[in-house]
Structure formats: C-alpha cells, structure tokens
Amino acid sequence: MISLFGRKQPEADSVSSDMALKQQRYHALVYAVHGDLFRYAYWLCRDRQVAEDLVQETFLRAWKSLDSLKDDNAAKAWLITILRRENARRFERKQFDLVDLDTVAVPDQHALSLEQGMENEWLRRHISELAEEYREPLLLQVLGGFSGEEIAEILNLNKNTVMTRLFRARNKLKDALEKDLQARGHNHG
C-alpha cells in the first residue's frame, strides 16, 4: 500500500499478525510462570494484595519490553529480576509502617495439620532470620526452582559465591533445627 506521500506503508495484516504473535508469546509466558512469581512476591512482602500488585506490574513491564527477551528459556529469571526491581521501587516510592513479623499471622492457603503448620511457621521464621545474602539465594532456589547458575545471573554474583551462600543457609537452618531439638530434649528428658 502506498501513502499520499509516495512511501510504502506496512501491511495491516503484517502488523496484526505481529501483534497476535506477541500476545500468544506473552500469554504463554504468563501461564508458565505466574504461580512461581506470585509465590516469590508473596515471600518478599508477606501481603497477598501487594504480591498481586507486584506480579501485575512485573507482567506489565514484561509486556512493554517483551521484544528484548531473546531466549524464552531465560524468561523466568528475566521476570524474577523485573519483580525484584519492582519490589525495590516500592520502597523508593513509599514509606511503610514497620511491623514486627513475629506478630503478623501469615494466612495459610491449605488446611494443614497443626503439626505441619507449626513446622512451616518454624521454617518461615528461621528463613526470615537469615541474613539477606543467604535468604535470597535460598528462596530463589526453593521457591523459584532456579539453578545455581541462574541465581548467580539474577543476583549478579559468581556461581561459586551463590553455591557457598546456599550451603551456609542450609547449614544455618540445620543448626537452628538441632538447637531446637536439643532444647526440646532437655525439657522433656
């Protein structure tokens, strides 16, 4: 098609076809990683509404720059990076009232046994007590399912550093569990 000024204009079919392909790619991406992104966002903020907002903003930014994603296999790491940046922006924009995490009840999505609920709460508490340098790689591995190499890329760290931090995080949790078991043994012994 030629315009009034003698220039060729792109075919409408080509533009709509490109848009349809972008939409298909985007929907497949959202479908594949939405649950993982939400779990990670929820872990970061411990608020369902804020987590939903973070994920929504992450997907909005992903839509805007979807053409920059060259390797679909790297999509999950790319989206986690966007989500982490969105979470950081949250603190740049607004001052939040601080709350003692030990006094906040985290709603449980499943009807768990009392024992399982207690174990989950113990684990949440001890993971949240880890230094961020240990907590973040552990969460990316456990909640996000990322490999050491992917975590290194997301956090801009050397893979060996990530593996060391994961090892230390697990050891700190193991030590905390052993201390709790010893304390229970002495109390019931």
Side-chain angles (χ1 to χ4, degrees):
M1 181 192 297
I2 299 188
S3 73
L4 294 174
F5 300 106
R7 291 189 207 137
K8 275 191 163 182
Q9 293 182 344
E11 294 293 326
D13 290 343
S14 174
V15 172
S16 63
S17 175
D18 289 346
M19 182 57 75
L21 288 173
K22 182 177 179 179
Q23 286 176 337
Q24 285 177 339
R25 185 177 181 210
Y26 177 77
H27 287 295
L29 183 67
V30 170
Y31 181 77
V33 298
H34 183 271
D36 291 338
L37 280 183
F38 177 78
R39 280 188 293 280
Y40 187 69
Y42 185 78
W43 183 268
L44 288 175
C45 64
R46 291 202 183 347
D47 182 302
R48 184 173 190 78
Q49 284 301 124
V50 174
E52 288 172 358
D53 290 346
L54 280 172
V55 171
Q56 184 176 10
E57 188 63 31
T58 298
F59 281 124
L60 177 64
R61 288 188 184 271
W63 170 259
K64 290 177 181 177
S65 58
L66 190 59
D67 294 333
S68 70
L69 177 63
K70 301 300 180 204
D71 180 7
D72 287 346
N73 293 328
K76 190 173 177 182
W78 180 66
L79 288 167
I80 288 284
T81 301
I82 294 171
L83 189 138
R84 289 178 67 237
R85 290 180 183 150
E86 279 308 305
N87 187 50
R89 280 187 193 96
R90 206 168 52 100
F91 294 102
E92 292 170 1
R93 292 187 289 238
K94 183 176 179 182
Q95 293 296 321
F96 290 91
D97 295 330
L98 298 178
V99 181
D100 184 10
L101 289 179
D102 291 333
T103 63
V104 176
V106 178
D108 203 350
Q109 300 297 336
H110 306 288
L112 297 173
S113 69
L114 179 60
E115 184 176 321
Q116 182 66 51
M118 289 171 54
E119 288 176 7
N120 288 349
E121 184 54 37
W122 181 93
L123 191 57
R124 279 188 197 106
R125 188 181 70 222
H126 284 315
I127 289 174
S128 69
E129 291 172 357
L130 291 172
E132 185 174 347
E133 68 183 293
Y134 301 123
R135 182 177 59 241
E136 194 161 21
L138 184 65
L139 291 175
L140 287 169
Q141 185 180 54
V142 173
L143 294 178
F146 290 104
S147 69
E149 286 180 13
E150 292 169 325
I151 296 168
E153 191 174 311
I154 291 168
L155 299 177
N156 294 320
L157 295 172
N158 179 296
K159 180 185 175 196
N160 292 334
T161 302
V162 168
M163 299 311 287
T164 299
R165 289 180 182 182
L166 288 168
F167 177 78
R168 288 180 181 164
R170 284 192 191 90
N171 278 343
K172 288 178 182 292
L173 292 175
K174 181 179 161 197
D175 291 346
L177 178 61
E178 288 173 358
K179 285 179 187 175
D180 282 1
L181 291 174
Q182 286 177 354
R184 286 186 206 160
H186 290 291
N187 291 340
H188 299 292

